Structure formats: structure tokens, C-alpha cells
Amino acid sequence: MAASPVRSLVAAAMVAAAATAIAPPAHADIAVSPQQQNWVFRDDAGRQITLRGFNVSGSTKLYENDLLPFRSTADAAKSAQAMRDLTGANAIRFLISWEGVQPAPDRIDYAYLDRAIAQIKAFTDRGIRVLLDYHQDLYSSHLFNSGSWYTGDGAPAWVIDAGDYPKESCGICIMWGQNMQTNAAVREAAYDFWRNRVLSTPAGQIGVQDAYLAQAKATMTYLKQKLHQPAFENILGLDPFNEPFDGGLDGKSGLDWEKTYLMPFYQRVRTTMDQAGWTAKPTFAEPLVFWNTGFFEQGGMTTVGQLGTRMVFNTHYYDGARMTLDPSAASDGTYDSAMNEIRQRAADLGTTPLVSEFGNKMSDDRTPWMVRAMYQAMDYGVPGKNWWSSPASGGQVLSALQWHWDIYSGRHHELMNGNPNKVQTTGDGWNDEDHSVAATDNAGNVTLRLDRRILDRLYPSAVNGETLAFAFEDLARSGYGATGQQKAWLTPPSSMPTVTTLLQNRQYGILVWRSSGTTTPTDLHLPNSFAPAETAVVSDITTLTSVPANGQIAATPEPGSSTAKRLQLTTQDNAVHFALVVNTATGTPPTTTQLTAARTELATWLTQKFPTN
């Protein structure tokens, strides 16, 4: 992208930087990059932040869990520790329920919020940032009858009782999401919410959207009061409405609906956040749910004007075609177009993007490489076979939170719509979904259900300066349980013979960045497969056959973990740097001569590909 001058911000939107349980975290502003016209997450040292992690969790939709992600604080702590240790995640989307917060029109359930706060602290105490998500699907479970094929979550029973909605029916639906298009009860309830219909309740006449905002304010105010300062600083912000759907367009387009109903709602949310003391935290605003899914390509916020730095463009990505009709597998570059559209839309809106949901069902034998391809496209937006020839065209590294992380996967006991004859035990325990990448084994240990190489990735968690290019070759297999094909997607050119030989059949990542002139290190999460003693680094800073625990290039513990590592690169200039990080646990160990020759090839490549930097 074209260069733009550095601009300073006042009262910019905030994210929280990494923290340990004993040291308070730093703030992180959304700041403008000096070499790009897109906004990025930055910490108070000016480092560019990438958020990676998971949603916790779909169990919030279940009454067996009391509408919370975990059944106990101990389970939350076990889950948080496993996530940090097994994947190096630095962020989660933490689901809560409107029904859980406000079970009656005149009552806030502070005991529910206390349990949520205790679970949130299990993550913030381990240096994991938390995006608070008010989750809904199909608006409310109380719209569905005990014999229904489907169920929902979100709005409390008193809202539905006051709405007097018709008997629900999806018709001929092969996926639960079709209820948003065909179920009259679901559509009418959503229609009322966006128009703030006044309901007659036991507490009097109440506008339904007014009630929602009032309880959200109470929640945010209470969290700010009850979370100690380091924990509150690790709260990213608020996702106020999961997957908004219209409920009725009144003959207009999805873009019209976003402008007329969705954006005014987000503006009301923004005001409510300010009133609750969340001024320094952004609203994570989602577009109309049908945008960028392969079907129903409506919305995308192209007519709402600039979001600016107090809102984040917060979108989901699911491959609607492959989830329904398309039988093809994913491969190198499959999702570049979709992720580049997210990058561009955020730039057009004047803010930074977050992909707060993505993934696929675990019963699909294509899922391992579908998820791999999604991560690849979020790391860089060109096919791996082309990246080395045009690295700068890969675009920014997208922050992303996968759907989802449920330690109770396959061990649920949910009465679907309260029906004792429809007990849900398999998968996610909700609408026959099975997306969780985590589960608990018979010994009580949290385990991964996808190849760890897909989930535990090298990524630039904090770059001191400006990321110019990044790529990662994970070599993850195409099947479950370390089965299936292994194939490299990120392939160096024949013009770099030493680099090509060094990288053959090996995991590796490469970062190109312009440092800021300070000594704050650049951090990359180092996957478990990259043991420091068997990791080579080829960089203009220095070249190493193994990574020590200190120095200009060092492997140090990830905050909150005794096993996960981060690679720290320290410079003190305003120059462009490169670092090639190679897992050398397999193959012939590289020699110093080989690494020196590779460094020469990379230096030439850098000059050719970044001539003005």
C-alpha cells in the first residue's frame, strides 16, 4: 500500500498487552502504521499486536452449564492453562448470555456475573486478553418448542413471552441457520429488537433494545468494579451482538438495513460503553451475518461511513459453499480472496479487522486443511507458491479467534429445549454442531482434536515497529490424528538454492519488519514443535543454529506458561530486518556455513523485494 505519514491518536480504541499474574499489563492503542494506510492493534510501546486464540465457548448456549463457558472456575483455569500451553493463544472471545444476565425485566443476576468474572480471571491471570461477547443464535431458545429440530440462545424468556410470537417452524431446513430466513417466530423477534418494540412486561412498558442496553451497561459497570486493574486492562472490548441478522428488510437491501438499524445500534452501544467506564475499549462491530460467506452476499457496511478507531470491523468467516454443496477440498490459497476482502473492508472503514469466528465441523474429513488454509490466508493473502516472489502483497497479518474451544466436547448432557427425551451428548451439545478443537480425555487432560501443527503456530504476537511481510509453513497433515498427506504450500524459489535446501521438508516462518528504534523486543510465538535447541534463526541481526535463553535473539517463556515459548528479537534502529525461523528437528542439522550462505541469499532477496524500505 502507499505510504502515509505517522499520525498520533488521542483517546484511541484500546486493547490490552500481554500480562502475567503478578505484573500489570500495558495498554495497546489502535494506531496507524507508518507504511500502510490500514489501522492495526498496537501496545503502549508501539508494538504491532496480532491476536490469536479461540472462542470459549459454545457451552454458554447450554443450560447444563448455567449459560457460561465453564461449569466451575477450576475448569476455566484448567482450560486457560491448556490453551496457553498447547497453542500459545494470547486472546479469547468469552461468551456470555443476555438471558443469564437479566432473567427478569427488573433484575440483574449479579451472581451470574460473579461466576463469569471468576472464569474471565482464569484467562487474564495467564496473560490472555478477553473480548466479551454477548452471544445469540436465532435470537432466543425460548422461541422453540420442546419437539423442535432446532434451538437458539440469547434473549430471556420474559422478552419472548411479551412478544407473543407465532409458532416456530423452519420448514425444510438442512442447517439451523436457515431459521434466520424462514422461521417467522425468529424473524419477527429480531425485527422487533432492531426497531426497539415496546413490550408489556411485569415490570411495565419496556423497549426491548432499551432493556438490552440497560443490562449491558450494568454488566460492564460491574466488571469494571470487580476486576482488579491488570485484569480489566486485559479486557479487549465488547462484541455486543453475535451474527446480527435483519428479521425483515421491508423491501430494502442488506446495506440499507445496516445503515438504518445496525449502525444506530452500535452507536448506542458505543455511548453505553462510555457511560460504563469502557471509553478506552473499542466496540467490536459485526456486519450483517450473510456477508462474506459464499451465499446471501448482503451487507458488509459499505454504506455506513467510517467506523474510526473506537470500533473494530469484527467479522466471521465460514466456507458456506463447502459446508453445504461444494465437495472440493481446500488447498494453497483457497481463502485468500475472502480474507483479503476482510482486510480491504476494514481499511475502507478506517479501522482494524478481527476475524472473531472461523472454522469447520470436525466430522468433515476436509476440515484439517480447510482450517490450515484459513490460517494461511490470515497470515498472508497470496498463495504460498507466490509469496516469496511478492511478499509485500500478502497484506497485514489478521487477528483471529477460532470457533471454538469446548473442554466438554462429546461429554454434554443438554436437554434440547428442555425435553428429557432429547438429551444432547455428542459434539458441542447444540444443534448437532461439532466444531470444538479441544476435548477432555478420560484422565481429565485437555487434548487437541486437530493436528497441533495447525493450531500451535508461529505468529508475530508483538512486532516492535511495522510488519512488512510474514509467512508460516506449518506442514500440517491433511487428516486427523497425524494421518493423511503432508505437503508444503510455502515454497521458496529456485533462485535461492541454499534457502530451498535448508527449508526442504521443514516447518519454518519468516518475518520482515521495520524496527521502531527502541529496544523493546519483537515477539513471535514459538510453537511446541520448535524446540529452542533445534531451532535455527537466519537473520540480519545474527545467525544461530540453536536459540539461547538470552541475547539479541532469545527463546523465553510465554507469560502465563511454563512450557510455551516465544522468540524475542531485539534491535535498536529504524532499519528493515528479516528473520527466518526454521524447525531443524528433522533432517541433517544445518551447518554454520549453510546458514551464512542462506543469510546472503535472504539479504539479496530483501533488497530486491523491499527496495524502498
Side-chain angles (χ1 to χ4, degrees):
M1 298 199 178
S4 62
V6 178
R7 290 178 288 176
S8 60
L9 292 177
V10 177
M14 308 288 280
V15 299
T20 67
I22 60 174
H27 292 291
D29 293 342
I30 295 175
V32 71
S33 305
Q35 297 300 317
Q36 297 179 346
Q37 291 179 340
N38 59 316
W39 294 83
V40 298
F41 295 119
R42 290 193 182 276
D43 66 18
D44 65 349
R47 297 190 301 174
Q48 184 173 334
I49 301 298
T50 300
L51 304 171
R52 288 289 171 89
F54 303 89
N55 283 257
V56 293
S57 82
S59 289
T60 300
K61 306 175 186 183
L62 307 181
Y63 292 96
E64 67 167 346
N65 269 36
D66 294 328
L67 304 177
L68 284 168
F70 303 100
R71 297 167 190 167
S72 68
T73 305
D75 280 359
K78 179 172 73 172
S79 185
Q81 194 65 60
M83 185 187 294
R84 194 68 158 144
D85 293 345
L86 293 173
T87 73
N90 65 359
I92 60 166
R93 185 169 176 247
F94 186 96
L95 279 61
I96 62 169
S97 166
W98 178 9
E99 179 178 1
V101 175
Q102 192 180 22
D106 55 355
R107 182 164 70 90
I108 300 297
D109 189 343
Y110 289 103
Y112 172 87
L113 291 178
D114 285 336
R115 293 192 297 274
I117 288 167
Q119 294 182 17
I120 287 170
K121 287 181 63 179
F123 288 87
T124 59
D125 285 351
R126 289 162 176 81
I128 298 175
R129 307 168 182 89
V130 174
L131 171 59
L132 189 69
D133 165 48
Y134 265 99
H135 211 78
Q136 71 80 37
D137 295 279
L138 309 182
Y139 195 68
S140 174
S141 68
H142 299 287
L143 290 165
F144 295 84
N145 63 73
S146 62
S148 178
W149 292 0
Y150 303 104
T151 191
D153 67 284
W158 63 266
V159 170
I160 306 307
D161 291 343
D164 191 26
Y165 296 111
K167 182 178 180 180
E168 64 87 12
S169 174
C170 190
I172 302 174
C173 290
I174 61 173
M175 295 180 67
W176 65 262
Q178 290 175 261
N179 282 275
M180 290 183 282
Q181 293 289 327
T182 63
N183 192 323
V186 171
R187 289 180 62 75
E188 287 185 25
Y191 186 94
D192 286 350
F193 179 84
W194 300 117
R195 287 155 183 81
N196 197 23
R197 177 187 169 190
V198 176
L199 303 175
S200 297
T201 77
Q205 301 288 102
I206 301 175
V208 61
Q209 192 176 115
D210 294 341
Y212 171 84
L213 292 169
Q215 62 80 34
K217 180 180 178 181
T219 292
M220 289 185 286
T221 301
Y222 194 68
L223 262 65
K224 188 174 188 300
Q225 292 172 350
K226 293 296 182 177
L227 285 171
H228 58 83
Q229 190 62 22
F232 183 68
E233 287 174 349
N234 256 350
I235 299 294
L236 291 166
L238 180 70
D239 184 345
F241 201 98
N242 174 68
E243 297 183 350
F245 64 100
D246 55 271
L249 294 174
D250 292 333
K252 297 182 179 180
S253 70
L255 291 174
D256 291 329
W257 178 83
E258 286 181 331
K259 185 175 182 179
T260 305
Y261 296 104
L262 187 60
M263 277 309 300
F265 169 70
Y266 287 143
Q267 288 158 357
R268 295 189 74 192
V269 169
R270 182 65 267 170
T271 298
T272 301
M273 292 177 69
D274 294 345
Q275 293 170 345
W278 287 42
T279 303
K281 301 182 186 296
T283 305
F284 285 73
E286 298 187 33
L288 180 63
V289 66
F290 305 121
W291 180 74
N292 203 19
T293 62
F295 299 105
F296 309 113
E297 290 291 339
Q298 296 193 54
M301 296 185 171
T302 60
T303 61
V304 302
Q306 295 276 290
L307 292 183
T309 59
R310 302 190 72 216
M311 293 189 185
V312 169
F313 181 59
N314 173 23
T315 187
H316 297 176
Y317 181 75
Y318 293 99
D319 188 340
R322 284 181 175 82
M323 290 174 72
T324 52
L325 303 175
D326 182 355
S328 66
S331 60
D332 177 27
T334 294
Y335 298 114
D336 289 342
S337 177
M339 297 305 170
N340 286 337
E341 188 171 4
I342 292 170
R343 289 179 173 97
Q344 187 58 55
R345 188 57 51 87
D348 292 343
L349 289 167
T351 189
T352 194
L354 172 72
V355 184
S356 62
E357 282 191 29
F358 68 98
N360 199 56
K361 57 187 178 183
M362 298 296 288
S363 58
D364 189 335
D365 61 8
R366 301 170 300 170
T367 292
W369 272 13
M370 286 176 67
V371 175
R372 179 191 184 192
M374 290 177 191
Y375 273 114
Q376 180 202 38
M378 291 183 291
D379 285 345
Y380 56 93
V382 296
K385 62 184 179 182
N386 299 333
W387 184 88
W388 283 93
S389 62
S390 57
S393 66
Q396 72 183 104
V397 182
L398 289 175
S399 291
L401 305 172
Q402 188 171 348
W403 183 269
H404 68 126
W405 182 281
D406 173 18
I407 64 170
Y408 311 114
S409 174
R411 297 172 181 268
H412 290 288
H413 191 85
E414 175 74 2
L415 277 59
M416 185 173 182
N417 296 312
N419 188 339
N421 297 317
K422 297 185 73 173
V423 181
Q424 308 298 297
T425 59
T426 60
D428 302 339
W430 191 83
N431 278 341
D432 293 324
E433 284 198 344
D434 186 13
H435 280 65
S436 178
V437 301
T440 303
D441 64 18
N442 291 332
N445 301 310
V446 178
T447 61
L448 298 179
R449 301 176 70 203
L450 274 182
D451 186 343
R452 187 169 179 178
R453 292 189 173 206
I454 296 175
L455 303 175
D456 187 17
R457 307 180 64 79
L458 189 82
Y459 70 94
S461 54
V463 174
N464 185 13
E466 186 69 31
T467 301
L468 301 179
F470 172 75
F472 177 50
E473 174 54 73
D474 56 48
L475 284 183
R477 291 189 176 272
S478 61
Y480 294 95
T483 64
Q485 181 184 10
Q486 178 176 294
K487 182 179 181 180
W489 290 351
L490 183 66
T491 52
S494 58
S495 59
M496 304 171 71
T498 308
V499 170
T500 298
T501 300
L502 174 64
L503 302 182
Q504 185 70 30
N505 296 321
R506 282 172 166 158
Q507 289 180 296
Y508 73 90
I510 181 167
L511 174 69
V512 180
W513 78 105
R514 178 188 290 102
S515 57
S516 69
T518 68
T519 57
T520 306
T522 285
D523 292 353
L524 295 95
H525 171 65
L526 198 63
N528 173 265
S529 56
F530 285 67
E534 297 174 320
T535 296
V537 178
V538 182
S539 174
D540 62 294
I541 302 171
T542 189
T543 297
L544 302 169
T545 56
S546 65
V547 184
N550 50 64
Q552 275 192 287
I553 298 180
T556 65
E558 286 280 18
S561 177
S562 61
T563 59
K565 297 289 192 296
R566 58 183 171 179
L567 186 71
Q568 296 197 294
L569 311 168
T570 304
T571 62
Q572 192 175 6
D573 53 37
N574 296 102
V576 174
H577 299 280
F578 67 86
L580 176 69
V581 186
V582 188
N583 177 4
T584 60
T586 59
T588 303
T591 65
T592 301
T593 299
Q594 183 184 24
L595 296 181
T596 300
R599 179 179 180 178
T600 299
E601 289 180 359
L602 287 166
T604 300
W605 169 82
L606 185 77
T607 301
Q608 293 171 346
K609 302 306 176 184
F610 299 90
T612 62
N613 291 303

